[in-house]
Amino acid sequence: MSTATPKIAPSILAADFSRLGEEVRAVEMAGADLIHVDVMDGRFVPNLTLGPLVVEAIRPLTRLELDVHLMIVEPWTLLQAFAAAGANSLTVHVEACPDLAGTISRIHALGCRAGVAINPPTPVDALAGRLDGVDRVLVMSVHPGFGGQSFMPDVLDKVRRVVEWRARDGFDFDVEIDGGIKRSTAPAAVAAGCQVLVAGTAIFGQPDYTAAVADLRAAAAARTT
Ligand code: DX5
Ligand code: ZN
């Protein structure tokens, strides 16, 4: 798994919301591998974005995986709504989930892939012994809440640790990194073991999405070949 070409996941947080459908179609045409959807509730993070209605609206526009990142308190209360809206994967924050195993089971019961995200200040040990059955570990490389922030390289130690645990314990999750990913930061993330690169401004902030996806893929692949 770790030698496969990393996947590129444009974050629609940086898209033009007045033309969201066109933007989703455009990044699929540009070669994106999945669509990253940032859900913020104004409580877990100091920003407010979108809910299941928006996921439902973009669902028919793309065949790509809708990778829903729930930056919300009590995420278990909205899992069913996002699954019904057409999410393929639901990622909850370890900081928001006292019963992580129960939440992961609930996501699977709804027919979705289950992810767990970890914020920069949270020690990786918060995930120790809690990754059984997890399909995705999302390592935040900025403080969640806003796009366009600078990548925090220290979080790559966490990536290396969960990759070690995956090999040691025979787990099968992919590792996704989110925040400040661009051509200059992608190689280090891939070298540390990330398989999925979320990128908001590095794609939607560029005039040519095809070139932006290709540039990011080339920067990532340069490390893996
Ligand atoms: C931040 C979000 C990210 C954000 C990334 O809270 O989880 O997905 O959109 O944006 P960039 O790539 O601009 O750092
Ligand atoms: Zn995100």
Side-chain angles (χ1 to χ4, degrees):
M1 177 189 289
S2 55
T3 54
T5 307
K7 293 182 176 175
I8 308 297
S11 164
I12 62 168
L13 186 64
D16 178 348
F17 271 63
S18 71
R19 300 185 300 109
L20 186 56
E22 286 169 51
E23 295 274 72
V24 168
R25 285 196 176 105
V27 289
E28 179 170 4
M29 290 292 293
D33 297 296
L34 52 163
I35 304 289
H36 186 82
V37 180
D38 285 310
V39 177
M40 305 183 186
D41 65 354
R43 296 179 66 198
F44 185 76
V45 290
N47 197 2
L48 188 63
T49 56
L50 55 90
L53 279 176
V54 174
V55 173
E56 189 178 2
I58 62 175
R59 176 68 286 176
L61 306 180
T62 179
R63 295 162 74 166
L64 297 181
E65 171 182 342
L66 295 181
D67 169 35
V68 175
H69 176 192
L70 297 171
M71 287 163 275
I72 64 178
V73 298
E74 300 177 356
W76 54 89
T77 62
L78 286 170
L79 297 174
Q80 183 167 18
F82 280 103
N88 301 99
S89 53
L90 294 170
T91 294
V92 296
H93 267 265
V94 65
E95 299 87 0
C97 279
D99 178 14
L100 183 61
T103 305
I104 296 296
S105 295
R106 177 77 181 130
I107 294 171
H108 286 153
L110 291 165
C112 294
R113 298 181 76 230
V116 57
I118 183 165
N119 281 339
T122 305
V124 71
D125 286 343
L127 299 175
R130 303 178 79 189
L131 295 177
D132 203 9
V134 167
D135 302 299
R136 173 167 294 154
V137 174
L138 192 173
V139 175
M140 287 304 302
S141 42
V142 297
H143 294 292
F146 300 93
Q149 304 179 73
S150 295
F151 181 73
M152 301 169 77
D154 288 357
V155 305
L156 295 180
D157 283 341
K158 280 188 256 192
V159 173
R160 287 184 274 268
R161 285 291 293 285
V162 298
V163 168
E164 281 170 20
W165 294 345
R166 183 176 65 194
R168 183 193 70 192
D169 296 335
F171 293 144
D172 195 27
F173 52 78
D174 57 32
V175 182
E176 179 174 41
I177 192 144
D178 185 1
I181 293 294
K182 50 189 177 181
R183 278 182 70 158
S184 59
T185 54
V190 174
C194 296
Q195 288 87 50
V196 184
L197 306 177
V198 176
T201 48
I203 294 176
F204 286 107
Q206 303 301 312
D208 180 341
Y209 297 166
T210 302
V213 171
D215 282 354
L216 206 49
R217 204 185 292 288
R223 170 56 188 73
T224 52
T225 51

